Amino acid sequence: IVEKREEFEQQHGPDAVTISVLTGDFLMPYLLSAIDKGRGMMKMLNRTPVDYLIWGNHEDNLSPADVFAREREYQGTWLNTNMPTHETVEGSACQATHAWLTV
């Protein structure tokens, strides 16, 4: 992702705006999450320049306690437009209902 952003900026100038979005189903279904309950994915996402995460329908394949624990570990912006009144939103450091971009 970093290399692609740099390439894009070289082609389009330093004021070029790019975003990266992971559009759900990142905690499940994948084999490692069946074992570690999504811990490895959150570690990877916190080290990868992904601008926004979005809830997917397979995130609920994990128990609510495990999903909420992973949500608390995430250090970026996790967009939540379809469940803004969900119990995890209150006190969340990463969930947002929207994000404004200046282009």
Side-chain angles (χ1 to χ4, degrees):
I1 293 173
V2 172
E3 290 172 3
K4 287 296 178 187
R5 280 189 180 173
E6 289 171 355
E7 180 182 319
F8 185 84
E9 288 176 1
Q10 287 175 357
Q11 291 177 353
H12 301 284
D15 295 328
V17 177
T18 60
I19 62 168
S20 58
V21 180
L22 186 51
T23 58
D25 298 347
F26 46 86
L27 290 178
M28 287 295 271
Y30 85 106
L31 183 58
L32 182 58
S33 277
I35 298 166
D36 76 353
K37 311 299 184 208
R39 287 181 188 91
M41 182 59 81
M42 283 295 103
K43 286 180 182 178
M44 184 278 304
L45 287 172
N46 281 328
R47 292 180 174 102
T48 304
V50 173
D51 296 306
Y52 303 103
L53 295 182
I54 299 174
W55 287 104
N57 63 315
H58 287 285
E59 265 63 71
D60 76 347
N61 291 7
L62 287 174
S63 73
D66 289 324
V67 172
F68 302 158
R70 302 301 76 82
E71 184 272 344
R72 288 188 297 275
E73 293 169 359
Y74 187 58
Q75 299 167 359
T77 301
W78 194 322
L79 294 176
N80 179 357
T81 59
N82 59 342
M83 326 181 283
T85 60
H86 193 270
E87 63 189 89
T88 60
V89 175
E90 187 174 328
S92 175
C94 67
Q95 289 190 70
T97 58
H98 61 279
W100 295 101
L101 301 174
T102 302
V103 291

